[in-house]
Amino acid sequence: MMYGALEAGGTKMVCAVGDENGRILEQISIPTSTPDDTMPKILDYFKTKDICAIGIACFGPIDLDKKSNTYGYITSTPKTEWKNFNIVGCVRGALHIPVGFDTDVNGSLLGEITYGCAKGLTDAIYLTIGTGIGGGVMTNGKLLHGMLHPELGHIIIGKRADDKGECVCPFHDSCFEGLAAGPSIEKRWGRKAKELSDDPKVWELEADYIGTALVNFCMTLSPQKIILGGGVMHQMQLFPLIRDVFKKKMAGYINTKTLENLETYIVPASLNDDQGIMGAIKLAIDAKME
Ligand code: ADP
Ligand code: ZN
């Protein structure tokens, strides 16, 4: 049986067909413009495929509450054309197959838990650090939704006294995303993040913010593994720095066997940037079984 997968992002829509093992058989990418322009292209692609269900891993905020009148909608996104757009309804109405739906980051986490480096775990976090910061959470074997869904990028953390930059989040004076996502790095240092690879002070400060946030997530969510993806995490030198900050700020308070080896606790995404689309395949598989 074949499954459709849609990784809906603010800049591109990745559409794929996969099998029950999460194997991607074919995929295309469509630039994200407006729903009127983009959705027909997506639907035209899937209409020609023999798929029995589709999974959508979607940028947000989105409504995941199946009892809500606006379940399946993209809600208060800053991308105004997509605000209050019923993406699940649109896809279901055109394809007439079961539709699985979750956040983009929960999709990536599901990909890693099902097919990647977190296989078999029941509690894990996937964090993307790119244009923004977002996090997917699984607790007790279930993707966490709660009242809405977690927004791990907007936890409030203190700006370091020697940080001459500013928090670029339009909502918060001092949040994780506003201090540590790609755009804030670029505003602080006045250059593209990837051109700053050789400047140690950039990554020392960045690792301080990320390591601090990870201690907070470890304390509150008790994950068995923390997976870091997104454009900024292509700077592999961040990993040892983040682990050092994590260890220092954890200060030995939690000392489980799992935390003895931070190299296997705080890890890069393992599926070659396919974790999101593979997670969307699993959302489709789960929707079919419901
Ligand atoms: P998005 O978050 O939009 O899905 P990405 O995860 O690729 O996309 O994130 C883009 C951001 O990541 C940009 O702000 C850019 O500054 C940063 N970025 C992309 N590639 C790199 C790199 N190699 N090193 C450091 N930062 C990068
Ligand atoms: Zn914020």
PDB file of all heavy atoms in Angstrom, residues 11-12 128-132 181-183 185-186 192-195 197 203 229-235, ligand 1:
ATOM      1  N   THR A  11       8.110  28.137   3.330  1.00  0.00           N
ATOM      2  CA  THR A  11       8.759  28.473   2.059  1.00  0.00           C
ATOM      3  C   THR A  11       8.513  27.421   0.978  1.00  0.00           C
ATOM      4  O   THR A  11       8.443  27.752  -0.187  1.00  0.00           O
ATOM      5  CB  THR A  11      10.290  28.662   2.215  1.00  0.00           C
ATOM      6  OG1 THR A  11      10.807  27.559   2.951  1.00  0.00           O
ATOM      7  CG2 THR A  11      10.621  29.940   2.951  1.00  0.00           C
ATOM      8  N   LYS A  12       8.374  26.142   1.397  1.00  0.00           N
ATOM      9  CA  LYS A  12       8.090  25.126   0.380  1.00  0.00           C
ATOM     10  C   LYS A  12       7.187  24.022   0.926  1.00  0.00           C
ATOM     11  O   LYS A  12       7.129  23.788   2.129  1.00  0.00           O
ATOM     12  CB  LYS A  12       9.386  24.538  -0.184  1.00  0.00           C
ATOM     13  CG  LYS A  12      10.226  23.772   0.800  1.00  0.00           C
ATOM     14  CD  LYS A  12      11.454  23.207   0.092  1.00  0.00           C
ATOM     15  CE  LYS A  12      12.174  22.138   0.853  1.00  0.00           C
ATOM     16  NZ  LYS A  12      12.978  22.505   1.979  1.00  0.00           N
ATOM     17  N   THR A 128      13.848  22.143  15.996  1.00  0.00           N
ATOM     18  CA  THR A 128      14.444  22.722  14.797  1.00  0.00           C
ATOM     19  C   THR A 128      14.894  24.143  15.106  1.00  0.00           C
ATOM     20  O   THR A 128      14.151  24.921  15.715  1.00  0.00           O
ATOM     21  CB  THR A 128      13.476  22.695  13.586  1.00  0.00           C
ATOM     22  OG1 THR A 128      14.152  23.266  12.461  1.00  0.00           O
ATOM     23  CG2 THR A 128      12.204  23.490  13.824  1.00  0.00           C
ATOM     24  N   ILE A 129      16.129  24.451  14.723  1.00  0.00           N
ATOM     25  CA  ILE A 129      16.668  25.790  14.923  1.00  0.00           C
ATOM     26  C   ILE A 129      17.028  26.313  13.544  1.00  0.00           C
ATOM     27  O   ILE A 129      18.040  25.921  12.947  1.00  0.00           O
ATOM     28  CB  ILE A 129      17.880  25.764  15.879  1.00  0.00           C
ATOM     29  CG1 ILE A 129      17.452  25.088  17.200  1.00  0.00           C
ATOM     30  CG2 ILE A 129      18.409  27.182  16.124  1.00  0.00           C
ATOM     31  CD1 ILE A 129      18.531  24.967  18.238  1.00  0.00           C
ATOM     32  N   GLY A 130      16.133  27.123  12.995  1.00  0.00           N
ATOM     33  CA  GLY A 130      16.321  27.631  11.638  1.00  0.00           C
ATOM     34  C   GLY A 130      15.835  29.059  11.579  1.00  0.00           C
ATOM     35  O   GLY A 130      16.283  29.903  12.356  1.00  0.00           O
ATOM     36  N   THR A 131      14.893  29.327  10.665  1.00  0.00           N
ATOM     37  CA  THR A 131      14.294  30.667  10.585  1.00  0.00           C
ATOM     38  C   THR A 131      13.570  30.996  11.883  1.00  0.00           C
ATOM     39  O   THR A 131      13.517  32.144  12.321  1.00  0.00           O
ATOM     40  CB  THR A 131      13.298  30.721   9.405  1.00  0.00           C
ATOM     41  OG1 THR A 131      13.981  30.259   8.239  1.00  0.00           O
ATOM     42  CG2 THR A 131      12.795  32.114   9.184  1.00  0.00           C
ATOM     43  N   GLY A 132      12.998  29.973  12.477  1.00  0.00           N
ATOM     44  CA  GLY A 132      12.417  30.096  13.815  1.00  0.00           C
ATOM     45  C   GLY A 132      12.927  28.939  14.642  1.00  0.00           C
ATOM     46  O   GLY A 132      13.809  28.192  14.200  1.00  0.00           O
ATOM     47  N   ALA A 181      17.459  31.931  17.038  1.00  0.00           N
ATOM     48  CA  ALA A 181      17.158  31.446  15.686  1.00  0.00           C
ATOM     49  C   ALA A 181      18.061  32.157  14.671  1.00  0.00           C
ATOM     50  O   ALA A 181      18.694  33.174  14.993  1.00  0.00           O
ATOM     51  CB  ALA A 181      15.684  31.663  15.361  1.00  0.00           C
ATOM     52  N   GLY A 182      18.111  31.633  13.445  1.00  0.00           N
ATOM     53  CA  GLY A 182      18.986  32.185  12.405  1.00  0.00           C
ATOM     54  C   GLY A 182      18.908  33.707  12.262  1.00  0.00           C
ATOM     55  O   GLY A 182      19.944  34.388  12.287  1.00  0.00           O
ATOM     56  N   PRO A 183      17.706  34.272  12.126  1.00  0.00           N
ATOM     57  CA  PRO A 183      17.613  35.729  11.932  1.00  0.00           C
ATOM     58  C   PRO A 183      18.218  36.539  13.078  1.00  0.00           C
ATOM     59  O   PRO A 183      18.766  37.622  12.838  1.00  0.00           O
ATOM     60  CB  PRO A 183      16.091  35.962  11.835  1.00  0.00           C
ATOM     61  CG  PRO A 183      15.554  34.660  11.325  1.00  0.00           C
ATOM     62  CD  PRO A 183      16.418  33.600  11.952  1.00  0.00           C
ATOM     63  N   ILE A 185      20.787  35.572  14.986  1.00  0.00           N
ATOM     64  CA  ILE A 185      22.250  35.457  14.835  1.00  0.00           C
ATOM     65  C   ILE A 185      22.706  36.480  13.791  1.00  0.00           C
ATOM     66  O   ILE A 185      23.677  37.221  13.991  1.00  0.00           O
ATOM     67  CB  ILE A 185      22.653  34.034  14.373  1.00  0.00           C
ATOM     68  CG1 ILE A 185      22.206  32.976  15.380  1.00  0.00           C
ATOM     69  CG2 ILE A 185      24.161  33.952  14.118  1.00  0.00           C
ATOM     70  CD1 ILE A 185      22.465  31.537  14.930  1.00  0.00           C
ATOM     71  N   GLU A 186      21.965  36.528  12.677  1.00  0.00           N
ATOM     72  CA  GLU A 186      22.378  37.390  11.562  1.00  0.00           C
ATOM     73  C   GLU A 186      22.245  38.870  11.909  1.00  0.00           C
ATOM     74  O   GLU A 186      23.080  39.687  11.541  1.00  0.00           O
ATOM     75  CB  GLU A 186      21.583  36.988  10.314  1.00  0.00           C
ATOM     76  CG  GLU A 186      21.954  35.548   9.951  1.00  0.00           C
ATOM     77  CD  GLU A 186      21.275  34.948   8.737  1.00  0.00           C
ATOM     78  OE1 GLU A 186      20.335  35.560   8.191  1.00  0.00           O
ATOM     79  OE2 GLU A 186      21.698  33.839   8.331  1.00  0.00           O
ATOM     80  N   LYS A 192      25.480  36.622   7.323  1.00  0.00           N
ATOM     81  CA  LYS A 192      24.774  35.340   7.228  1.00  0.00           C
ATOM     82  C   LYS A 192      25.372  34.346   8.215  1.00  0.00           C
ATOM     83  O   LYS A 192      26.600  34.263   8.344  1.00  0.00           O
ATOM     84  CB  LYS A 192      24.912  34.750   5.816  1.00  0.00           C
ATOM     85  CG  LYS A 192      24.169  35.532   4.771  1.00  0.00           C
ATOM     86  CD  LYS A 192      22.838  34.835   4.470  1.00  0.00           C
ATOM     87  CE  LYS A 192      21.890  35.736   3.715  1.00  0.00           C
ATOM     88  NZ  LYS A 192      20.575  35.887   4.309  1.00  0.00           N
ATOM     89  N   ALA A 193      24.502  33.568   8.884  1.00  0.00           N
ATOM     90  CA  ALA A 193      24.989  32.633   9.897  1.00  0.00           C
ATOM     91  C   ALA A 193      26.033  31.672   9.335  1.00  0.00           C
ATOM     92  O   ALA A 193      27.026  31.349   9.989  1.00  0.00           O
ATOM     93  CB  ALA A 193      23.815  31.869  10.505  1.00  0.00           C
ATOM     94  N   LYS A 194      25.813  31.223   8.107  1.00  0.00           N
ATOM     95  CA  LYS A 194      26.765  30.227   7.589  1.00  0.00           C
ATOM     96  C   LYS A 194      28.124  30.827   7.234  1.00  0.00           C
ATOM     97  O   LYS A 194      29.103  30.108   7.093  1.00  0.00           O
ATOM     98  CB  LYS A 194      26.185  29.404   6.457  1.00  0.00           C
ATOM     99  CG  LYS A 194      25.852  30.122   5.206  1.00  0.00           C
ATOM    100  CD  LYS A 194      25.456  29.074   4.152  1.00  0.00           C
ATOM    101  CE  LYS A 194      24.425  29.623   3.215  1.00  0.00           C
ATOM    102  NZ  LYS A 194      23.247  28.956   2.973  1.00  0.00           N
ATOM    103  N   GLU A 195      28.173  32.167   7.146  1.00  0.00           N
ATOM    104  CA  GLU A 195      29.472  32.816   6.907  1.00  0.00           C
ATOM    105  C   GLU A 195      30.228  33.061   8.209  1.00  0.00           C
ATOM    106  O   GLU A 195      31.347  33.575   8.195  1.00  0.00           O
ATOM    107  CB  GLU A 195      29.258  34.164   6.193  1.00  0.00           C
ATOM    108  CG  GLU A 195      28.761  34.013   4.772  1.00  0.00           C
ATOM    109  CD  GLU A 195      28.223  35.326   4.208  1.00  0.00           C
ATOM    110  OE1 GLU A 195      28.453  36.391   4.816  1.00  0.00           O
ATOM    111  OE2 GLU A 195      27.554  35.260   3.159  1.00  0.00           O
ATOM    112  N   SER A 197      30.960  30.664  10.442  1.00  0.00           N
ATOM    113  CA  SER A 197      31.473  29.380  10.958  1.00  0.00           C
ATOM    114  C   SER A 197      32.759  29.501  11.754  1.00  0.00           C
ATOM    115  O   SER A 197      32.949  28.797  12.742  1.00  0.00           O
ATOM    116  CB  SER A 197      31.779  28.419   9.809  1.00  0.00           C
ATOM    117  OG  SER A 197      30.680  28.259   9.008  1.00  0.00           O
ATOM    118  N   TRP A 203      29.394  31.029  18.209  1.00  0.00           N
ATOM    119  CA  TRP A 203      28.858  29.698  18.533  1.00  0.00           C
ATOM    120  C   TRP A 203      28.893  29.427  20.016  1.00  0.00           C
ATOM    121  O   TRP A 203      28.084  28.652  20.535  1.00  0.00           O
ATOM    122  CB  TRP A 203      29.568  28.639  17.675  1.00  0.00           C
ATOM    123  CG  TRP A 203      29.478  29.080  16.249  1.00  0.00           C
ATOM    124  CD1 TRP A 203      30.500  29.553  15.469  1.00  0.00           C
ATOM    125  CD2 TRP A 203      28.278  29.209  15.462  1.00  0.00           C
ATOM    126  NE1 TRP A 203      30.005  29.957  14.239  1.00  0.00           N
ATOM    127  CE2 TRP A 203      28.657  29.768  14.209  1.00  0.00           C
ATOM    128  CE3 TRP A 203      26.935  28.924  15.688  1.00  0.00           C
ATOM    129  CZ2 TRP A 203      27.727  30.021  13.197  1.00  0.00           C
ATOM    130  CZ3 TRP A 203      26.016  29.193  14.681  1.00  0.00           C
ATOM    131  CH2 TRP A 203      26.411  29.724  13.457  1.00  0.00           C
ATOM    132  N   GLY A 229      17.695  19.647  14.845  1.00  0.00           N
ATOM    133  CA  GLY A 229      17.768  19.820  13.397  1.00  0.00           C
ATOM    134  C   GLY A 229      17.599  21.283  13.020  1.00  0.00           C
ATOM    135  O   GLY A 229      17.597  22.164  13.881  1.00  0.00           O
ATOM    136  N   GLY A 230      17.456  21.543  11.717  1.00  0.00           N
ATOM    137  CA  GLY A 230      17.291  22.914  11.222  1.00  0.00           C
ATOM    138  C   GLY A 230      18.611  23.490  10.735  1.00  0.00           C
ATOM    139  O   GLY A 230      19.689  22.985  11.060  1.00  0.00           O
ATOM    140  N   GLY A 231      18.501  24.556   9.953  1.00  0.00           N
ATOM    141  CA  GLY A 231      19.667  25.146   9.278  1.00  0.00           C
ATOM    142  C   GLY A 231      20.818  25.487  10.208  1.00  0.00           C
ATOM    143  O   GLY A 231      21.987  25.189   9.898  1.00  0.00           O
ATOM    144  N   VAL A 232      20.534  26.105  11.338  1.00  0.00           N
ATOM    145  CA  VAL A 232      21.610  26.538  12.240  1.00  0.00           C
ATOM    146  C   VAL A 232      22.407  25.330  12.756  1.00  0.00           C
ATOM    147  O   VAL A 232      23.629  25.409  12.943  1.00  0.00           O
ATOM    148  CB  VAL A 232      21.025  27.363  13.416  1.00  0.00           C
ATOM    149  CG1 VAL A 232      22.076  27.641  14.480  1.00  0.00           C
ATOM    150  CG2 VAL A 232      20.428  28.675  12.902  1.00  0.00           C
ATOM    151  N   MET A 233      21.736  24.198  12.927  1.00  0.00           N
ATOM    152  CA  MET A 233      22.421  23.024  13.475  1.00  0.00           C
ATOM    153  C   MET A 233      23.334  22.343  12.454  1.00  0.00           C
ATOM    154  O   MET A 233      24.018  21.385  12.775  1.00  0.00           O
ATOM    155  CB  MET A 233      21.422  22.023  14.064  1.00  0.00           C
ATOM    156  CG  MET A 233      20.687  22.523  15.295  1.00  0.00           C
ATOM    157  SD  MET A 233      21.727  23.318  16.556  1.00  0.00           S
ATOM    158  CE  MET A 233      22.922  22.045  16.902  1.00  0.00           C
ATOM    159  N   HIS A 234      23.376  22.897  11.215  1.00  0.00           N
ATOM    160  CA  HIS A 234      24.412  22.428  10.292  1.00  0.00           C
ATOM    161  C   HIS A 234      25.798  22.816  10.790  1.00  0.00           C
ATOM    162  O   HIS A 234      26.803  22.274  10.325  1.00  0.00           O
ATOM    163  CB  HIS A 234      24.163  22.967   8.878  1.00  0.00           C
ATOM    164  CG  HIS A 234      22.989  22.304   8.213  1.00  0.00           C
ATOM    165  ND1 HIS A 234      22.049  22.995   7.494  1.00  0.00           N
ATOM    166  CD2 HIS A 234      22.602  21.006   8.188  1.00  0.00           C
ATOM    167  CE1 HIS A 234      21.134  22.144   7.040  1.00  0.00           C
ATOM    168  NE2 HIS A 234      21.450  20.927   7.459  1.00  0.00           N
ATOM    169  N   GLN A 235      25.864  23.756  11.726  1.00  0.00           N
ATOM    170  CA  GLN A 235      27.146  24.107  12.360  1.00  0.00           C
ATOM    171  C   GLN A 235      27.456  23.022  13.395  1.00  0.00           C
ATOM    172  O   GLN A 235      27.103  23.141  14.571  1.00  0.00           O
ATOM    173  CB  GLN A 235      27.040  25.482  13.042  1.00  0.00           C
ATOM    174  CG  GLN A 235      26.757  26.613  12.082  1.00  0.00           C
ATOM    175  CD  GLN A 235      27.908  26.892  11.137  1.00  0.00           C
ATOM    176  OE1 GLN A 235      29.077  26.766  11.508  1.00  0.00           O
ATOM    177  NE2 GLN A 235      27.594  27.275   9.913  1.00  0.00           N
TER     178      GLN A 235
HETATM  179  P1  ADP B   1      13.383  26.944   7.845  1.00  0.00           P
HETATM  180  O1  ADP B   1      13.567  27.156   9.296  1.00  0.00           O
HETATM  181  O2  ADP B   1      12.922  28.179   7.138  1.00  0.00           O
HETATM  182  O3  ADP B   1      12.588  25.728   7.500  1.00  0.00           O
HETATM  183  P2  ADP B   1      16.183  26.210   7.797  1.00  0.00           P
HETATM  184  O4  ADP B   1      16.022  25.194   8.851  1.00  0.00           O
HETATM  185  O5  ADP B   1      17.079  25.908   6.657  1.00  0.00           O
HETATM  186  O6  ADP B   1      14.799  26.651   7.175  1.00  0.00           O
HETATM  187  O7  ADP B   1      16.698  27.518   8.507  1.00  0.00           O
HETATM  188  C1  ADP B   1      17.102  28.664   7.836  1.00  0.00           C
HETATM  189  C2  ADP B   1      17.921  29.496   8.810  1.00  0.00           C
HETATM  190  O8  ADP B   1      19.046  28.739   9.217  1.00  0.00           O
HETATM  191  C3  ADP B   1      18.424  30.795   8.246  1.00  0.00           C
HETATM  192  O9  ADP B   1      18.066  31.839   9.151  1.00  0.00           O
HETATM  193  C4  ADP B   1      19.933  30.657   8.178  1.00  0.00           C
HETATM  194  O10 ADP B   1      20.532  31.754   8.769  1.00  0.00           O
HETATM  195  C5  ADP B   1      20.242  29.458   9.006  1.00  0.00           C
HETATM  196  N1  ADP B   1      21.189  28.570   8.323  1.00  0.00           N
HETATM  197  C6  ADP B   1      20.989  27.888   7.185  1.00  0.00           C
HETATM  198  N2  ADP B   1      22.077  27.162   6.845  1.00  0.00           N
HETATM  199  C7  ADP B   1      22.994  27.404   7.804  1.00  0.00           C
HETATM  200  C8  ADP B   1      24.345  26.969   8.052  1.00  0.00           C
HETATM  201  N3  ADP B   1      24.966  26.126   7.228  1.00  0.00           N
HETATM  202  N4  ADP B   1      24.937  27.430   9.154  1.00  0.00           N
HETATM  203  C9  ADP B   1      24.341  28.278  10.005  1.00  0.00           C
HETATM  204  N5  ADP B   1      23.082  28.725   9.826  1.00  0.00           N
HETATM  205  C10 ADP B   1      22.426  28.302   8.748  1.00  0.00           C
END
